[in-house]
Amino acid sequence: MKKLKRFFIYLFLSAAAFVSIFPFLWMLVSMTNQSVDITKGRLLPGSALVENVQKLLDQTQIGTAIWNSLIIAVITTVLTLLIGSMAGYGFEIYRSKGKDIIFSVLILSMMIPFAAIMIPLYRLFGQVSADAPLIGLDTLAAALLPTIITAFFIFFFRQNTKMFAKDLVEAGRIDGLSEIGIFFRIYLPTMKTTYAAAAIIAFMNSWNNYLWPLVVLQSPEKQTIPLLISNLGAGYTPDYGVIMTAIVIATLPTALVFFLMQRHFVAGMMGSVKG
Amino acid sequence: MHKLKKNYIGWFFILLSVAGISLFYFYPMIQAFLLSLQSGMGANLDFVGFDNYVRLFNDPTFITALTNTVLYLLVQVPVMIVLALIFSVLLNDPTLKFKGFFRTAIFLPAVTSLVAYAVIFKYLFANNGLVNDFLMSINLISNPIAWLSDPFWAKITIIIAITWRWTGYNMIFYLSALQNVDKSIYEAAKIDGASAVQQFFQITIPMLKPIILFTSIVSTIGTLQLFDEVMNITSGGPGNATMTISMYIYNLSFEYTPDFGYAATVSYVILILVVILSFIQFKVAGDRD
């Protein structure tokens, strides 16, 4: 009886694991097959990998899209971490009643769905386009600016700062460090794992972001990876081999980074959920 | 003097964030409300008071989009949370083999880009796609199911897709919470003769309540904003059968003749729904503590 129960548990988990993994295997296998074979349901590796990559390079601006996505994601991640951690630190270390109220108000912004503010944001960037073309519509800056400062990361860093030994701040003051020096020379190095977790989340969010870039980036040379994939997928005669290759290129980097840093990520998620 | 300086520096640390969130969240929210009182094509907007809000009730596309979104919410969020709970309880068993593999496998979908997986699902669920091939090969169905072109099945496809993407993500939260539960509670329950199912409902669920509340609010907000998948799997079709509120806002602003005022009105509906539903979830889950 107990053995039978175990058997069904393993069967259930194996089925779930198979369903979870299958689309990945399919996309990896399909990257090496020709479009016709993919539509016929071929599930074995083929020999069209080089051909697919070549076509992707020839027919699309994949290089530009990777570059744009990378620039946006790296700048977003660095600024998100810097500004978010400063705020989380500021709210937790320099507590005052006024700051607690401001913190609660900022947290409320997590409840605002992006769709609800998308049109005013679009108009805002439209208005600055004439005076400040560098951050106006159809610029990478416009694609990343609204995503840099989010209440989530302020909350995330504040929760993790609760576990930071505050004696270190006093020790820094006695040693004659400035308040900003304490942040950069003591807090930042001690909180490496928190930064690592936040970096993964920020990078993945930015790399995979779709709706706002779709709204704000119009010209083909400003395209990001998700926009390119979406356009490829919407074609009337899609070349499945080429599309699958693009999808693998879009997915593998974040998946790899994630698995290399998985431990930090899970620890960081925990830190933000425990109160 | 020193104290005053420290206080001043404390404000310095939070200054950029306060400015950024005010500019990119709260200011647009006020703007959206002002916009929702105006109507017109493109940049030529006239003040129309609450006409846009009245228009909502007579707009069949809006009503369809709202119904679809609520349907996704009511079906998908509970299914996903129950599945994630079951996985996390099974995978928390220390005697289970290959735990690491199962956890990683089930979490894997959570690292994919929404657009990438949506495009993959579109092909998997095509008429001649692998899902139909598989179902026919095991003789579960004799004719291919029109996953993407039948109004009913298209909704099911969207629900399957979101469940695939997010179940593992929720599971990780439950798993990490379960690891903090004192094992002696379960030992004591076992000695008292509680079955596995009783332990699940009387120990696990109450223990995880705060995290279940957290994940259900996050999932609710996420589902109300559903866009990437619908746009890339079905484009809202067939007809408007899978249209969501977010997609309708996008169409009103950038696909149809742009009416930013009315689009802003529709977007306020999402905001109001998020507030109401989160409040209900807090009430339902929070009061019994």
Side-chain angles (χ1 to χ4, degrees):
Chain A
M1 179 58 199
K2 208 165 177 202
K3 269 209 170 135
L4 193 71
K5 206 176 112 194
R6 266 279 137 123
F7 172 77
F8 279 110
I9 288 177
Y10 279 113
L11 191 71
F12 175 64
L13 288 174
S14 305
F18 176 77
V19 170
S20 300
I21 296 177
F22 181 77
F24 290 92
L25 293 178
W26 187 55
M27 105 194 160
L28 282 172
V29 166
S30 298
M31 181 170 75
T32 68
N33 279 315
Q34 280 176 337
S35 196
V36 234
D37 292 325
I38 298 169
T39 46
K40 278 187 205 144
R42 184 182 156 96
L43 292 172
L44 295 168
S47 55
L49 176 62
V50 178
E51 189 189 324
N52 285 335
V53 173
Q54 195 59 51
K55 273 200 240 166
L56 184 65
L57 289 172
D58 292 345
Q59 294 167 5
T60 69
Q61 300 193 357
I62 182 83
T64 317
I66 293 176
W67 179 245
N68 291 340
S69 279
L70 206 61
I71 292 274
I72 292 177
V74 168
I75 296 177
T76 304
T77 306
V78 171
L79 292 179
T80 298
L81 259 56
L82 181 70
I83 299 171
S85 66
M86 281 178 77
Y89 177 86
F91 278 119
E92 188 59 28
I93 301 293
Y94 305 95
R95 292 195 67 163
S96 68
K97 211 170 171 199
K99 287 196 200 76
D100 284 346
I101 294 168
I102 293 178
F103 181 76
S104 311
V105 175
L106 293 193
I107 289 302
L108 275 183
S109 72
M110 281 208 263
M111 300 276 275
I112 303 175
F114 182 74
I117 54 174
M118 174 175 88
I119 299 149
L121 275 179
Y122 176 78
R123 283 164 51 101
L124 182 70
F125 280 96
Q127 280 156 13
V128 300
S129 279
D131 304 318
L134 285 177
I135 57 166
L137 293 178
D138 205 24
T139 63
L140 298 188
L144 65 85
L145 272 174
T147 65
I148 287 174
I149 304 172
T150 62
F152 172 79
F153 284 100
I154 301 170
F155 179 72
F156 181 88
F157 276 102
R158 183 178 189 174
Q159 289 301 99
N160 281 287
T161 306
K162 288 184 201 287
M163 286 179 268
F164 170 72
K166 291 173 190 71
D167 300 352
L168 290 176
V169 177
E170 276 312 314
R173 279 177 193 150
I174 292 165
D175 286 349
L177 275 173
S178 69
E179 296 295 311
I180 292 159
I182 294 169
F183 174 79
F184 282 105
R185 306 208 15 209
I186 300 178
Y187 176 83
L188 212 148
T190 17
M191 301 297 281
K192 258 189 239 150
T193 43
T194 303
Y195 278 94
I200 299 173
I201 304 170
F203 189 91
M204 290 208 316
N205 284 350
S206 175
W207 180 264
N208 294 332
N209 196 9
Y210 175 62
L211 179 52
W212 178 240
L214 175 70
V215 165
V216 85
L217 300 175
Q218 283 111 10
S219 48
E221 66 274 15
K222 298 282 163 54
Q223 238 179 174
T224 59
I225 290 272
L227 297 182
L228 181 120
I229 290 175
S230 176
N231 286 340
L232 282 176
Y236 284 110
T237 46
D239 187 323
Y240 295 101
V242 172
I243 295 170
M244 290 300 181
T245 312
I247 290 178
V248 171
I249 290 173
T251 310
L252 273 194
T254 49
L256 274 181
V257 170
F258 176 80
F259 283 107
L260 290 175
M261 305 182 81
Q262 200 179 16
R263 252 162 230 254
H264 298 319
F265 177 72
V266 174
M269 286 230 281
M270 273 316 295
S272 61
V273 177
K274 278 184 210 162
Chain B
M1 179 63 203
H2 188 61
K3 190 136 198 208
L4 199 73
K5 194 178 143 220
K6 261 198 307 196
N7 196 25
Y8 172 74
I9 299 235
W11 289 103
F12 162 80
F13 275 104
I14 63 172
L15 190 73
L16 260 177
S17 291
V18 173
I21 290 184
S22 307
L23 178 64
F24 291 125
Y25 287 86
F26 293 125
Y27 169 75
M29 242 181 82
I30 298 164
Q31 285 293 317
F33 180 68
L34 295 176
L35 260 176
S36 75
L37 304 177
Q38 302 166 52
S39 187
M41 275 195 273
N44 304 317
L45 291 164
D46 297 312
F47 186 79
V48 293
F50 287 94
D51 282 7
N52 284 330
Y53 288 89
V54 177
R55 182 175 160 191
L56 287 177
F57 294 100
N58 302 310
D59 177 353
T61 315
F62 167 74
I63 290 168
T64 310
L66 180 67
T67 319
N68 290 342
T69 308
V70 171
L71 183 84
Y72 294 139
L73 193 72
L74 290 179
V75 177
Q76 198 269 333
V77 175
V79 166
M80 174 180 68
I81 285 177
V82 169
L83 259 182
L85 274 170
I86 293 174
F87 286 139
S88 61
V89 169
L90 292 180
L91 292 175
N92 196 43
D93 179 350
T95 61
L96 192 90
K97 287 187 187 113
F98 314 116
K99 270 195 303 281
F101 166 74
F102 286 129
R103 281 180 195 177
T104 311
I106 295 171
F107 182 73
L108 197 61
V111 302
T112 58
S113 122
L114 298 183
V115 171
Y117 99 82
V119 171
I120 291 207
F121 267 68
K122 182 174 155 185
Y123 300 146
L124 281 174
F125 284 83
N127 254 341
N128 57 351
L130 284 175
V131 172
N132 274 336
D133 284 359
F134 172 74
L135 292 177
M136 289 201 289
S137 74
I138 59 166
N139 287 320
L140 209 63
I141 53 171
S142 52
N143 293 309
I145 295 176
W147 291 103
L148 304 179
S149 49
D150 178 87
F152 172 77
W153 289 112
K155 288 189 191 76
I156 300 283
T157 309
I158 300 286
I159 289 173
I160 293 173
I162 327 170
T163 309
W164 180 84
R165 173 64 169 71
W166 293 102
T167 303
Y169 177 81
N170 287 300
M171 174 192 79
I172 292 289
F173 285 101
Y174 302 146
L175 256 179
S176 13
L178 280 175
Q179 264 143 32
N180 292 337
V181 175
D182 191 351
K183 294 203 173 47
S184 60
I185 300 175
Y186 287 100
E187 303 289 331
K190 249 184 235 164
I191 294 167
D192 289 345
S195 69
V197 175
Q198 280 173 323
Q199 287 174 36
F200 179 76
F201 282 107
Q202 282 164 19
I203 304 176
T204 310
I205 300 274
M207 285 282 193
L208 294 187
K209 219 163 80 178
I211 309 257
I212 295 175
L213 173 66
F214 170 80
T215 52
S216 59
I217 289 178
V218 172
S219 305
T220 301
I221 298 177
T223 312
L224 287 175
Q225 305 198 57
L226 194 63
F227 178 82
D228 302 22
E229 290 90 339
V230 180
M231 178 85 168
N232 286 293
I233 298 177
T234 59
S235 313
N240 289 327
T242 54
M243 176 79 75
T244 60
I245 306 180
S246 287
M247 197 163 166
Y248 188 43
I249 297 169
Y250 178 81
N251 285 347
L252 281 173
S253 318
F254 303 106
E255 293 288 312
Y256 312 152
T257 317
D259 184 343
F260 287 134
Y262 187 53
T265 313
V266 177
S267 75
Y268 247 74
V269 173
I270 300 194
L271 188 68
I272 294 163
L273 280 178
V274 165
V275 172
I276 295 175
L277 289 173
S278 304
F279 180 75
I280 294 174
Q281 279 163 333
F282 263 114
K283 275 282 164 213
V284 169
D287 273 2
R288 270 168 266 150
D289 278 325

